[in-house]
Amino acid sequence: MIIILFLIGFILGLAYTLIGERLPLNIPEVRPKEDNSWILNLFIGILNGLIIIISHYSYGISYEFFTSIIIAALVIIIFVSDFKYLIILDSPLIISSILILILKYCYFGIKEVGFSILSGIVLFVLMLLIGKIGKLIFKREALGGGDIKLAIVIGIILGLKLGLIAIILSSLLAMPYAIGAMMLSKDKEVPYGPFLIGSLGIVFIFIEKFTNLINFLI
């Protein structure tokens, strides 16, 4: 069973990497980059295999198990596409949102689906406002459209309060990288998507601890 789960995860990890590398090339403005690393792809495949094994061991066949698989797919695709091309694709965000909403409906009912959609909309509006304010202050795009749309997925998966925590955490994680990038090159764009999706994964994994933190603060 463990070997089968690992092989499934490994193959899916390679597929996610390929999607992150190839799907953006369908956009006319994107130019191919010949810097593929088979070692990195192999590492991602192995990592995704381990994630599926650990998720199955921790959650069994449950909502959390299926959600962790979807989050892992998003992490890999967004990491590859945003770091390589500074693009977050719409299709993975749409597909993952639909899958999560289906899971929530099956496990928790229509009421939870409604709350999740509302949370996604609120976080989307919040990120949109942050992007507008950032553009006024820095005289350039502070957030990409993909980053703003990703907030919808975060809200759908985590809800409003935990989603806010994930956004704050992503800013803290991105800050050292952004400072370093600006010191090396003032015109260098910083891919924010990987930090957003990484924070989503961290909060989901340690959801109980972050929930306790929110309860303590409130």
Side-chain angles (χ1 to χ4, degrees):
M1 184 65 176
I2 293 178
I3 296 176
I4 294 174
L5 286 174
F6 177 79
L7 288 176
I8 292 173
F10 178 77
I11 294 170
L12 287 175
L14 295 180
Y16 301 151
T17 303
L18 188 63
I19 291 171
E21 289 179 347
R22 299 300 178 185
L23 201 56
L25 298 179
N26 294 322
I27 301 173
E29 296 79 10
V30 175
R31 296 290 179 266
K33 295 182 179 180
E34 299 300 328
D35 57 351
N36 294 337
S37 171
W38 67 269
I39 297 178
L40 177 61
N41 294 350
L42 183 64
F43 173 77
I44 290 175
I46 293 172
L47 181 61
N48 194 60
L50 294 174
I51 288 172
I52 287 187
I53 291 174
I54 294 171
S55 297
H56 184 267
Y57 176 79
S58 300
Y59 306 119
I61 302 300
S62 63
Y63 166 79
E64 289 78 9
F65 172 68
F66 292 116
T67 302
S68 64
I69 292 176
I70 295 171
I71 292 175
L74 272 177
V75 169
I76 294 170
I77 294 172
I78 290 175
F79 174 85
V80 173
S81 66
D82 205 17
F83 262 115
K84 193 166 186 177
Y85 303 109
L86 291 173
I87 287 176
I88 295 179
L89 304 164
D90 288 341
S91 50
L93 301 181
I94 294 171
I95 293 171
S96 61
S97 296
I98 292 172
L99 291 175
I100 291 295
L101 290 174
I102 291 173
L103 283 173
K104 288 204 169 187
Y105 175 76
C106 293
Y107 279 93
F108 308 115
I110 190 66
K111 186 176 181 180
E112 184 65 26
V113 171
F115 282 132
S116 298
I117 293 174
L118 182 60
S119 297
I121 293 172
V122 172
L123 290 184
F124 171 80
V125 173
L126 176 63
M127 289 290 281
L128 185 62
L129 290 174
I130 292 173
K132 295 292 184 182
I133 294 171
K135 186 175 181 179
L136 289 174
I137 295 174
F138 300 108
K139 308 301 181 183
R140 59 185 294 181
E141 293 292 340
L143 289 173
D147 300 326
I148 297 172
K149 295 171 189 174
L150 181 54
I152 299 176
V153 183
I154 293 175
I156 288 174
I157 295 176
L158 296 178
L160 182 57
K161 294 177 181 179
L162 288 170
L164 285 171
I165 292 293
I167 290 174
I168 294 170
L169 178 62
S170 68
S171 301
L172 297 175
L173 294 176
M175 192 177 300
Y177 181 89
I179 293 173
M182 287 187 293
M183 290 177 63
L184 293 174
S185 174
K186 292 183 179 180
D187 297 324
K188 184 176 178 59
E189 293 185 59
V190 177
Y192 185 44
F195 297 101
L196 269 174
I197 196 67
S199 296
L200 165 61
I202 292 171
V203 174
F204 182 79
I205 292 171
F206 301 102
I207 192 166
E208 186 175 343
K209 295 185 181 298
F210 282 104
T211 301
N212 292 336
L213 175 62
I214 290 173
N215 293 334
F216 173 76
L217 293 174
I218 294 178

